[in-house]
Amino acid sequence: MNEVLKRLLHLQDPPHRTALAFGVGVFIAFSPLLGLHTVMAIAVAFAFGLNRVAVLAGAWVNFWALAPCYAFGTLIGALMLGTDTGDLRAIDWNQGIGALTSTLGTLFWPIMLGNTVLGAIASVPAYALSRKFLEARAKGKSKEPGLVSNDGPGGDAS
């Protein structure tokens, strides 16, 4: 049963594929489709045969900082699209739902674009750092006493 679970979750993937899964998860974490991150992560992991744990970990990486991340992504989108956000400060919140729909209508495209761009930017260092970490970890495990190493005679894996 343990081997089946490892295969299902892709826990024995090489560092590159696990880091790729984590990077994809980070991209999903910044997705403007709030509330669908977990569903998207699982669907993408199954569709592309990625490490499910790594994709989910990446998708949840900004959980505690979600509001600031979305605000920053929205700002980036507003700047890219030239959306005037000055009028958002003058909203009459006494209008109720009308004010909310007006605000969301103004911010829809900045939210979509900015957070997608932010996710693409964040996924690159997430991939690079996690790959470096996983490769160092794998190299350290192969050097532990009692483990057989695939290194050649000179100690370097070729």
Side-chain angles (χ1 to χ4, degrees), residues 113-136:
L113 177 64
N115 288 291
T116 301
V117 167
L118 192 58
I121 292 169
S123 66
V124 173
Y127 164 78
L129 291 172
S130 61
R131 182 172 181 173
K132 188 173 195 122
F133 170 78
L134 291 166
E135 286 174 345

Side-chain angles (χ1 to χ4, degrees), residues 16 23 25 28 57 90 98 136 143 145 155:
H16 161 70
I28 291 170
K143 300 293 183 192

Side-chain angles (χ1 to χ4, degrees), residues 15-40:
H16 161 70
R17 285 204 37 97
T18 303
L20 179 65
F22 183 74
V24 168
V26 169
F27 177 76
I28 291 170
F30 287 90
S31 165
L33 302 175
L34 188 58
L36 297 176
H37 294 152
T38 300
V39 173
M40 289 172 26

Side-chain angles (χ1 to χ4, degrees), residues 2-158:
N2 195 18
E3 286 302 314
V4 173
L5 187 60
K6 283 182 179 180
R7 269 199 324 258
L8 175 68
L9 297 175
H10 289 265
L11 296 179
Q12 296 174 330
D13 281 355
H16 161 70
R17 285 204 37 97
T18 303
L20 179 65
F22 183 74
V24 168
V26 169
F27 177 76
I28 291 170
F30 287 90
S31 165
L33 302 175
L34 188 58
L36 297 176
H37 294 152
T38 300
V39 173
M40 289 172 26
I42 292 170
V44 167
F46 273 98
F48 294 101
L50 297 174
N51 181 315
R52 279 81 161 141
V53 174
V55 175
L56 284 169
W60 295 336
V61 77
N62 71 344
F63 176 76
W64 295 107
L66 200 59
C69 289
Y70 269 83
F72 186 61
T74 302
L75 176 65
I76 289 172
L79 291 172
M80 290 176 74
L81 294 171
T83 303
D84 181 18
T85 57
D87 60 341
L88 295 176
R89 289 186 295 263
I91 294 174
D92 180 10
W93 291 104
N94 293 326
Q95 293 178 353
I97 194 75
L100 181 62
T101 55
S102 171
T103 302
L104 291 177
T106 302
L107 293 180
F108 179 79
W109 288 114
I111 289 170
M112 297 302 281
L113 177 64
N115 288 291
T116 301
V117 167
L118 192 58
I121 292 169
S123 66
V124 173
Y127 164 78
L129 291 172
S130 61
R131 182 172 181 173
K132 188 173 195 122
F133 170 78
L134 291 166
E135 286 174 345
R137 186 170 173 249
K139 190 173 186 177
K141 278 188 174 183
S142 69
K143 300 293 183 192
E144 287 180 13
L147 293 178
V148 178
S149 174
N150 292 335
D151 294 349
D156 289 334
S158 304

